[in-house]
């Protein structure tokens, strides 16, 4: 899958001087298209949640923590694993140069479009190495493992997974090396899928594909499966067209949520918890926890009493020059010291 990797030969080609039609014909596997469809549907659901958070319908940080965090990682892993698996179906035992280059060019071009679009839309968090970039890079590297022993591929996959735990270095903090994934300081991006550790699921997919072919788990000579049922057919359709669906689904979802937000804006979150958290984080750098709890609680109460919290939260008050803020800070400092 590259996001849209085919299981079957699509055009005559020659590689290594061997005519294409002298090679085993592999037809599309309907169940694999269904699995791809499920993966793209899961990704769309995550992106929809991201859009809801962006427009204030979910609390800030919701999609980056807890179950959402692992959900996103599971989705990315599934795409990369399927991409590795499909690379084997398409190019083992013989490499088909022309179909590979065409597919690689499509994925690389789509990755470039994503980078350019997000540079203009979200310049501080644009996608410089996301899932499409990772699939394109892993596809090139994966060619080296198509004919290596499966045990070697799995060992390298394990090493790729463990590398960020042991090999991080400030050397990789250079922006030109962020794609590697070994930076000590993680760069800001709305979709960051560096080569390490994300090469691991791709190589695992290659190993699984090799095992499946060796064990005869895939009937590659049978006619294409046609999934029964409208839901399965819909998922299979999405799986067969996963790359264009990937490219259009997020702009469409984002636009729909933006339109809804214009009609029914999300309620503004209560600024008190955010102020309390920020105040404590700043204060505890110089003072004790007990002092900061008294000081921040007092400050919050005074801001609410004087109707200053909302203007402060909206950036309408300069804390450095507004005498009301300095007066409250002085009074609460004295109270916290008592």
């Amino acid at each position: 899958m590259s996001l849209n990797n085919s299981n079957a030969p699509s055009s005559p080609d020659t590689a290594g001087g061997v005519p294409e039609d002298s090679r085993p014909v592999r037809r599309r596997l309907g169940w694999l298209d269904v699995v791809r469809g499920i993966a793209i549907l899961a990704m769309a659901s995550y992106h929809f949640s991201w859009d809801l958070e962006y427009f204030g319908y979910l609390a800030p940080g919701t999609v980056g923590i807890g179950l959402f965090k692992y959900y996103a990682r599971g989705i990315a892993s599934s795409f990369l694993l399927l991409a590795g698996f499909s690379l084997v179906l398409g190019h083992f035992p013989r490499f088909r140069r022309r179909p590979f280059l065409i597919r690689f060019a499509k994925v690389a071009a789509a990755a470039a479009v994503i980078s350019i679009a997000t540079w203009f839309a979200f310049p501080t968090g644009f996608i410089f190495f996301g899932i499409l970039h990772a699939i394109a890079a892993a596809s090139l590297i994966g060619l080296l493992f198509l004919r290596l022993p499966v045990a070697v591929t799995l060992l390298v996959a394990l090493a790729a997974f463990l590398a960020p735990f042991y090999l991080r270095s400030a050397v990789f903090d250079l922006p030109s090396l962020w794609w590697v994934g070994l930076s000590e300081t993680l760069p800001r991006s709305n979709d960051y899928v560096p080569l390490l550790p994300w090469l691991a699921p791709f190589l695992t997919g290659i190993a699984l594909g090799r095992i499946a072919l060796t064990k005869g788990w895939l009937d590659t000579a049978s006619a294409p499966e046609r999934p029964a049922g409208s839901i399965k057919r819909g998922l299979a359709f999405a799986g067969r067209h996963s790359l264009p669906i990937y490219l259009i689904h997020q702009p469409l979802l984002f636009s729909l949520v933006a339109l809804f937000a214009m009609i029914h804006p999300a309620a503004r979150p209560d600024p008190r918890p955010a102020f309390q958290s920020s105040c404590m984080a700043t204060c505890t750098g110089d003072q004790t926890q007990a002092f900061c709890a008294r000081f921040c609680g007092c400050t919050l109460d005074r801001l609410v009493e004087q109707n200053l919290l909302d203007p402060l939260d909206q950036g309408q008050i300069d804390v450095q020059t507004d005498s009301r803020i300095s007066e409250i800070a002085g009074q609460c400092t004295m109270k916290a010291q008592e």
Side-chain angles (χ1 to χ4, degrees):
M1 189 184 106
S2 19
L3 267 183
N4 193 24
N5 218 354
S6 172
N7 309 329
S10 55
S11 61
D13 186 27
T14 58
V18 181
E20 184 72 18
D21 43 4
S22 71
R23 301 171 191 166
V25 176
R26 292 201 177 110
R27 303 184 184 278
R28 295 200 72 91
L29 301 175
W31 65 265
L32 190 55
D33 285 332
V34 170
V35 173
R36 288 196 192 100
I38 293 172
I40 198 71
L41 184 63
M43 181 169 285
S45 70
Y46 177 79
H47 285 162
F48 181 64
S49 301
W50 189 93
D51 297 340
L52 291 177
E53 179 185 319
Y54 183 84
F55 285 99
Y57 296 102
L58 293 177
T62 297
V63 299
I65 60 175
L67 291 178
F68 268 109
K69 177 181 178 180
Y70 294 105
Y71 183 50
R73 291 181 177 181
I75 294 168
S77 296
S78 69
F79 273 116
L80 287 159
L81 187 144
L82 288 169
F85 190 90
S86 293
L87 184 68
V88 173
L89 296 187
H91 302 284
F92 183 85
R94 295 186 184 276
F95 174 61
R96 299 159 51 233
R97 181 178 62 247
R98 185 168 178 270
F100 174 85
L101 291 177
I102 290 173
R103 192 164 298 115
F104 175 81
K106 288 180 180 179
V107 176
V113 168
I114 293 292
S115 292
I116 294 171
T118 56
W119 170 265
F120 288 102
F122 310 101
T124 60
F126 85 103
I127 300 172
F128 60 89
F129 208 86
I131 186 68
L132 290 180
H133 305 73
I135 289 175
S139 296
L140 291 176
I141 297 172
L143 295 178
L144 302 175
F145 292 87
L146 281 176
R147 293 167 184 80
L148 290 179
V150 170
V152 173
T153 303
L154 288 174
L155 283 174
V156 176
L158 179 62
F161 176 77
L162 295 175
F165 294 100
Y166 299 103
L167 300 179
R168 290 195 182 277
S169 170
V171 172
F172 295 97
D173 284 344
L174 291 172
S176 59
L177 296 177
W178 282 346
W179 61 272
V180 178
L182 297 179
S183 309
E184 289 186 346
T185 304
L186 294 180
R188 183 177 179 182
S189 176
N190 288 332
D191 183 25
Y192 181 49
V193 188
L195 202 58
L196 299 173
W198 294 102
L199 183 61
F202 188 91
L203 294 179
T204 302
I206 290 179
L208 290 177
R210 288 284 308 279
I211 293 171
L213 290 179
T214 301
K215 299 293 185 181
W217 294 341
L218 305 176
D219 183 8
T220 57
S222 63
E225 288 184 37
R226 297 184 180 278
S230 57
I231 294 178
K232 286 186 178 180
R233 285 196 297 270
L235 290 172
F237 177 85
R240 289 192 300 271
H241 302 89
S242 52
L243 183 57
I245 290 175
Y246 177 84
L247 289 175
I248 65 175
H249 83 276
Q250 174 62 338
L252 177 61
L253 291 174
F254 190 88
S255 298
L256 290 174
V257 178
L259 179 61
F260 182 79
M262 294 173 62
I263 301 170
H264 187 72
R268 291 187 65 252
D270 186 350
R272 287 175 293 185
F275 175 85
Q276 183 76 13
S277 176
S278 175
C279 179
M280 289 294 294
T282 303
C283 176
T284 51
D286 301 316
Q287 300 289 343
T288 65
Q289 189 82 12
F291 173 89
C292 291
R294 294 192 296 270
F295 172 79
C296 292
C298 170
T299 303
L300 180 57
D301 290 341
R302 299 293 174 85
L303 290 172
V304 171
E305 290 170 2
Q306 298 182 33
N307 295 319
L308 296 176
L309 182 59
D310 284 335
L312 181 65
D313 181 59
Q314 296 170 25
Q316 299 173 3
I317 294 178
D318 186 345
V319 297
Q320 302 296 329
T321 60
D322 196 300
S323 60
R324 296 170 297 177
I325 303 301
S326 58
E327 182 179 349
I328 290 174
Q331 293 171 353
C332 289
T333 297
M334 294 178 60
K335 184 174 181 180
Q337 291 173 341
E338 293 176 357

